[in-house]
Amino acid sequence: MPQGKLFLIPNVLAENTADAVITPQVKEVIAHTKVFLVENLRTARRYISSLKLGVNLEEVHMEILDKNTAPESINRLLQPLFKGADVGIISEAGCPGIADPGALAVAHAHTRGIQVVPLSGPSSMFLALMGSGFSGQSFAFHGYLPIDKKERNQALRKLEAESAKEHRAQIFMETPFRNNQLLEDALAALSPQTKLCIAKNLTAADELIQTKTLADWKKNPIDLHKIPTVFILQSF
């Protein structure tokens, strides 16, 4: 029996943007897939419903794949693939496998010879980098920085030093309700001449992508509380 394919299905970054950012190919795959691994059942169902594809959600099987999923359970979650059914992974936002637990399933699929099919869609990391004005030739994505203030400040200074040494853009993020604290720490811990790109509410009507020195950000405060944001710093 031929094995199914593992589709990596992008989700929207902002509400009511699917018509603009979700491709016909993604919609076609969703319409013909009956098994999904998702971070959140409620939001995944709402996303599929919002596409108005005529999918009967009662006929769709969903399993949770999130940060708490044990690696040893991945083989069980991928069983439909081994029986010939296609499986789609849907991230909570953006593209599966980037700062996302879907990478666990992808890695396991490769060990079992399963074809992995990543689909094009919005990625906050790459949209921010594209709009930052920093070089895309050398960059690093660090995901979430430490929560502890002292450790976070150390991490920020380390990223700044590495950026200056390697001429590398450093991309990171934070849980939206801690964005302001992260920005405050960056303003206090880093050189005023270091440049920081703030990319918030990407793809939404009020999207903002702006790059300034930290000195300029201090003069022009911005409120990022509970707003999905990507940060990129570059030290020259």
Side-chain angles (χ1 to χ4, degrees), residues 124-134 197-199 202 207-211 232:
S124 59
M125 180 183 80
F126 288 115
L127 291 172
L129 181 61
M130 290 163 62
S132 69
F134 299 144
C197 175
I198 293 177
L202 290 164
E207 170 186 275
L208 173 75
I209 305 175
Q210 199 160 51
T211 298
I232 312 178

Side-chain angles (χ1 to χ4, degrees), residues 6-67:
L6 183 63
F7 288 96
L8 308 184
I9 299 172
N11 201 340
V12 295
L13 299 174
E15 291 188 3
N16 303 315
T17 58
D19 287 344
V21 303
I22 301 301
T23 68
Q25 181 192 22
V26 170
K27 294 178 181 180
E28 182 178 357
V29 168
I30 291 175
H32 292 92
T33 301
K34 300 299 183 183
V35 182
F36 295 93
L37 304 180
V38 304
E39 282 194 85
N40 183 288
L41 293 173
R42 182 176 63 86
T43 55
R45 290 191 181 108
R46 186 172 64 190
Y47 169 50
I48 293 175
S49 295
S50 74
L51 299 177
K52 297 179 173 59
L53 303 173
V55 174
N56 183 351
L57 290 175
E58 293 184 359
E59 298 176 355
V60 170
H61 180 72
M62 291 187 180
E63 294 266 11
I64 294 291
L65 174 60
D66 62 14
K67 63 182 180 180

Side-chain angles (χ1 to χ4, degrees), residues 80-113:
L81 287 166
F82 310 140
K83 299 176 182 177
D86 292 336
V87 173
I89 297 180
I90 301 180
S91 178
E92 185 72 354
C95 296
I98 301 177
D100 173 83
L104 283 173
V106 174
H108 188 79
H110 284 303
T111 68
R112 298 292 300 269

